[in-house]
Amino acid sequence: MRYAFWPGCVSKGAAPELYTSMVRVAPELGIELVELYDGNCTGAGVISEHSMETADALNARNFAMAQRLDLPLMNICSTCQGVQSMAQNRMRKNSKLAEEINLTLAEEGLHYDAEAGLDVKNFLWVLVEDYGLDRLKSMIKKPLTGLKAGPFYGCYILRPEPILGFDEHPDRDKYLEFVIEALGATLITYEGQDKCCGFPILTINKQNSLTMAANHLSEAQQEGADCLVTPCPLCHLNLDAQQPDAAKYASVNGLEVPILHLPQLIGLALGISPEELRVNRHVVSSRKVLAALSS
Amino acid sequence: MQVKLKVKRFDPESGEEPYYQQYSVEMPETATVLDALIEVREYHDGSLSLRCSCRSAICGSCAMRINGRARLACKTSVRSLAEEGEEILVEPAGNMPTIKDLVADMAPFWDKVRAVKPWLQPSGPPPEREYVVPNEAMQALGEVMNCIMCGACVSDCTSLEVDKTFLGPAALAKAWRFVGDPRDAQDLSRLREYSEPSGIWDCTRCNICVQVCPKDVKPMDQILKLRAAAVHEGIRNNNGSRHTLAFVELVNANGRLDEFRLPIFTEGKFNIIGQLSYLPSAPRMIRSGKMPPVFPHKISGVKHVKRIFKQFGEREPGPAKLVSAGGH
Ligand code: SF4
Ligand code: SF4
Ligand code: FES
């Protein structure tokens, strides 16, 4: 299995442990990643607030690189997924825009065939739809028995459903649950798992943003979660890096919920050491996870 | 078919806490959740309160939470949610007080709609005959004009969940209805008001309102149009528009986002207090090896990214009326 790989800005910036764990886990699974080193930011839904066409052109540039490789595109960020799916959708519907964008891309020898489009998939979708849960199970060296893990999706990988391919894949809002159980962990569910982490308004309305994070984390802790797992590094930033500040809005005392990136959880089940997966590189200590796994 | 309902009951006058009650009613395969609830009220339990009128997704009075998501009860077929014998969970709309059982108190909803001044404010003396408006301008408002004020979006809005002062999706969609209307002359003062705290910048862009709206109004997309219009109108003395502009500037410079600089730009380059309020997590991030690189990583193709920004980003966006951000 080969994918053009778009790691996203955050895994190359504030969440390097995501990048490290992904490139460590992929070969172990037999997935070959061809990284788009020269790819650009997808705009994270922010650039489109300024100029929709700019955001679409930026995404077309990445798509064109993947098309040139004749490979499907894999991302490791819920936000990238949503933005990429929406951009694809808009350009498919607006051939005039696509044409205009291609005029600009042509200057660096790129072309995006918007009508043909390309498969753009988060690692989570790749795992369940392309790789298969049975194959994943067959790769497990250390089942995560005893670990109580809850899902946290991130808005953009869930909504809006019609643009994210839910017609064809109606269970895309359950994949994290599937994966958690496939790895042998105990699934914890809670109300906030498909809501907003609060990150988009962190610098705009900090109190609201942290209250959102605190609500979800409190619920998960109350339900007994040892950790949450997320396919989105932006959710990770708000749930992990901001957790000590969010604690003052929490409804539980002693808030401590480690947040794992999806490839980290997979890696643990593949028997890769926690250090190699950089699970010690979070703001919230992962000791609960390691304790649950060693007991 | 046998339809099983689990309904949240609450009567403030009884002094009791809310509780759940189960009902089972025989209904035709084509029944809606509203049909089943009316069946319960008419023939099984006359004490159950709910609100409905048109029964055909027009009046907007039957919005409630069904299986955890806001929907119009009259537009939701039981078949689409449950197999024979499977239970359907019915609760009142969220983010609003409950008057009784499934009846939500819409007073805060209407207060917020009124707060955006949902009426036309033209300037000058009215024309002798009717206002003439280009077709496209009105077509562009088609989405927002479909709103039936049901409150489904408000029920499930994640921002409202943590902050009751947020104007919310329905009121802000209505706000775009007038900012986008060529006859209205108060764009600037409207956009200034909507840009204040609890306004357009407090939306988290979670897309839930887009998902639950039964009329495809896409409230979030209308909020994004208001944001774009506010930025283009030069209303930039708030963290929201600074965030957008800083983001654009950083990606233009490096081809990638630079998280280290983003909060600093967002708070204003010289707003030291603002920067510090964001930074408490910085030492923690450094300790855990997570601090974003101080020297931003530039992609080698940054000149191509700049070309894209030059080509598309510096276009005159035109008057706010015609700004069309947000659409899918
Ligand atoms: S997108 Fe904004 S307005 Fe809509 S539900 Fe989410 S926070 Fe509320
Ligand atoms: S925007 Fe949609 S969900 Fe919200 S009040 Fe209007 S019709 Fe109802
Ligand atoms: S009863 Fe009128 S919208 Fe449902």
Side-chain angles (χ1 to χ4, degrees), chain B residues 34 38 51-63 71-75 148 150 214-215:
Chain B
L34 182 64
I38 291 175
R51 185 164 44 205
C52 65
S53 175
C54 71
R55 304 187 195 188
S56 35
I58 295 167
C59 72
S61 42
C62 68
R71 312 174 205 245
L72 295 178
C74 71
K75 198 181 175 228
I148 56 172
C150 66
K215 291 288 165 185

XYZ file of all heavy atoms in Angstrom, chain B residues 34 38 51-63 71-75 148 150 214-215, ligand 3:
175
model
N -43.090 12.621 15.262
C -44.179 13.459 15.769
C -45.495 12.675 15.797
O -46.242 12.746 16.781
C -44.333 14.725 14.915
C -45.428 15.689 15.414
C -45.089 16.240 16.798
C -45.632 16.846 14.433
N -47.739 12.179 19.129
C -49.148 12.591 19.203
C -50.017 11.389 19.587
O -50.934 11.505 20.410
C -49.593 13.213 17.853
C -48.875 14.560 17.659
C -51.110 13.416 17.818
C -49.140 15.225 16.315
N -44.850 20.542 21.329
C -45.333 21.666 20.536
C -45.275 21.281 19.062
O -44.280 20.748 18.589
C -44.435 22.879 20.795
C -44.896 24.154 20.131
C -44.198 25.378 20.728
N -42.777 25.173 20.920
C -42.049 25.832 21.823
N -42.593 26.737 22.614
N -40.767 25.595 21.946
N -46.357 21.521 18.352
C -46.345 21.269 16.914
C -47.491 22.050 16.299
O -48.386 22.515 16.996
C -46.520 19.781 16.609
S -48.108 19.122 17.105
N -47.412 22.232 14.982
C -48.526 22.880 14.317
C -48.696 22.310 12.912
O -49.591 21.529 12.648
C -48.306 24.398 14.295
O -49.325 25.013 13.564
N -47.777 22.659 12.004
C -47.993 22.333 10.588
C -47.866 20.854 10.261
O -48.461 20.360 9.327
C -47.009 23.115 9.727
S -45.313 22.522 9.905
N -47.058 20.129 10.987
C -46.751 18.717 10.747
C -46.129 18.480 9.382
O -46.169 17.368 8.862
C -48.000 17.837 10.866
C -48.680 17.995 12.203
C -49.790 17.004 12.372
N -50.634 17.390 13.479
C -51.590 16.630 13.960
N -51.841 15.464 13.428
N -52.317 17.045 14.974
N -45.626 19.507 8.763
C -44.985 19.291 7.470
C -43.733 20.155 7.290
O -43.469 20.664 6.211
C -45.980 19.518 6.338
O -46.879 20.547 6.673
N -42.975 20.307 8.361
C -41.659 20.954 8.302
C -41.706 22.385 7.779
O -40.819 22.833 7.062
C -40.690 20.115 7.467
N -42.761 23.105 8.145
C -42.879 24.489 7.688
C -42.873 25.479 8.855
O -42.218 26.509 8.803
C -44.185 24.680 6.881
C -44.126 23.846 5.604
C -44.392 26.154 6.536
C -45.452 23.725 4.908
N -43.577 25.137 9.919
C -43.772 26.141 10.967
C -42.597 26.236 11.935
O -42.400 27.243 12.590
C -45.049 25.860 11.744
S -44.934 24.419 12.816
N -41.805 25.181 12.039
C -40.634 25.227 12.910
C -40.924 25.042 14.391
O -40.076 25.331 15.220
N -42.090 24.543 14.744
C -42.372 24.454 16.185
C -41.994 23.127 16.834
O -41.998 23.027 18.045
C -43.834 24.790 16.487
O -44.683 24.197 15.556
N -41.643 22.100 16.061
C -41.454 20.783 16.674
C -39.996 20.356 16.788
O -39.703 19.172 16.871
C -42.236 19.725 15.903
S -41.558 19.441 14.260
N -39.047 21.320 16.790
C -37.639 20.934 16.923
C -37.390 20.352 18.311
O -37.816 20.923 19.311
C -36.736 22.141 16.681
N -33.652 17.711 15.652
C -34.348 17.458 14.381
C -35.773 17.954 14.526
O -36.276 18.123 15.642
C -34.433 15.956 14.077
C -33.133 15.212 14.228
C -33.368 13.714 14.038
N -32.344 12.941 14.728
C -31.443 12.160 14.128
N -31.452 12.025 12.827
N -30.543 11.505 14.837
N -36.441 18.139 13.390
C -37.876 18.374 13.420
C -38.552 17.016 13.585
O -38.342 16.117 12.767
C -38.352 19.022 12.122
C -37.852 20.431 11.807
C -38.402 20.890 10.450
C -38.254 21.419 12.900
N -39.387 16.891 14.613
C -40.036 15.596 14.852
C -40.928 15.211 13.675
O -41.085 14.046 13.347
C -40.848 15.646 16.149
N -41.498 16.235 13.002
C -42.420 15.945 11.909
C -41.712 15.615 10.608
O -42.332 15.224 9.633
C -43.381 17.113 11.694
S -42.604 18.575 10.977
N -40.372 15.805 10.602
C -39.625 15.532 9.371
C -38.770 14.273 9.537
O -37.989 13.929 8.656
C -38.731 16.744 9.051
C -38.232 16.797 7.618
C -37.342 18.008 7.395
C -36.760 17.970 5.992
N -35.341 18.209 5.951
N -36.703 28.645 9.077
C -38.055 28.634 9.645
C -38.023 28.892 11.153
O -39.002 28.642 11.860
C -38.785 27.303 9.356
C -37.965 26.114 9.870
C -39.074 27.158 7.865
C -38.692 24.779 9.799
N -36.675 27.435 13.700
C -37.064 26.288 14.534
C -36.165 26.126 15.747
O -36.531 25.489 16.725
C -37.042 25.010 13.703
S -35.388 24.547 13.162
N -32.740 21.697 9.356
C -33.625 20.942 8.471
C -33.908 21.657 7.158
O -34.536 21.090 6.271
C -34.908 20.812 9.297
C -34.901 22.001 10.191
C -33.459 22.280 10.501
N -33.448 22.894 7.034
C -33.756 23.668 5.836
C -32.506 24.054 5.052
O -32.556 24.925 4.177
C -34.531 24.945 6.226
C -35.936 24.644 6.723
C -36.820 24.219 5.569
C -38.100 23.573 6.056
N -38.914 23.045 4.963
S -44.844 20.726 13.192
Fe -44.337 22.448 11.948
S -42.240 22.071 11.573
Fe -42.814 20.266 12.608
